[in-house]
Amino acid sequence: MEYQSNTYNIEEAELVEFIKTKAVREINIVQSTNKKYRIITKLTWKDGAFLLVSYRKRVREWSTLDTLIRYIRETYKDISVPIRLTFVPSDVEGSTAAEEMNIVIDQSD
């Protein structure tokens, strides 16, 4: 999944509000080349991809998926947005395609 062009920054408060108002089309969890995970979203009302950044405009990254999923569950509460997980290409010879999978966060406890 390539987000080089047409990528914008979005802060956490904005993303929380957009999720509440159902303005988020999908959330992409993307593994970067440094093996950390980032959140990239697509909105219903604007083209392009939106990379989650901190208030200081630094890219938000998580070292492990479990901490990122915990963050999503606690921060975005009743999330009902499709979530895609994309891994960096593996080191297998001849493999250049990123691996993707769709995940669902079950909010029922």
Side-chain angles (χ1 to χ4, degrees):
M1 194 157 255
E2 198 62 40
Y3 292 105
Q4 303 289 347
S5 61
N6 215 13
T7 302
Y8 309 97
N9 291 341
I10 188 169
E11 291 183 9
E12 182 177 71
E14 294 173 302
L15 186 54
V16 168
E17 188 60 32
F18 289 151
I19 287 175
K20 283 182 186 176
T21 60
K22 305 216 182 293
V24 176
R25 187 173 10 149
E26 71 178 32
I27 293 176
N28 299 295
I29 298 172
V30 179
Q31 186 182 38
S32 62
T33 54
N34 66 0
K35 304 291 185 190
K36 293 187 178 185
Y37 299 93
R38 300 173 174 186
I39 292 178
I40 299 175
T41 62
K42 291 184 180 179
L43 302 177
T44 58
W45 56 275
K46 187 171 183 179
D47 289 335
F50 295 81
L51 177 63
L52 183 63
V53 296
S54 68
Y55 294 111
R56 295 182 179 157
K57 306 297 185 212
R58 296 181 116 163
V59 175
R60 291 287 316 261
E61 292 186 309
W62 290 262
S63 297
T64 62
L65 275 176
D66 63 327
T67 56
L68 174 52
I69 296 300
R70 188 176 320 117
Y71 165 83
I72 290 172
R73 291 184 86 177
E74 292 172 359
T75 305
Y76 305 113
K77 306 290 184 223
D78 298 323
I79 190 164
S80 60
V81 176
I83 298 174
R84 176 180 293 142
L85 175 60
T86 306
F87 296 102
V88 294
S90 61
D91 293 335
V92 177
E93 187 176 325
S95 176
T96 58
E99 300 173 37
E100 290 185 4
M101 70 174 60
N102 293 316
I103 60 174
V104 175
I105 297 177
D106 183 6
Q107 294 292 348
S108 61
D109 288 333

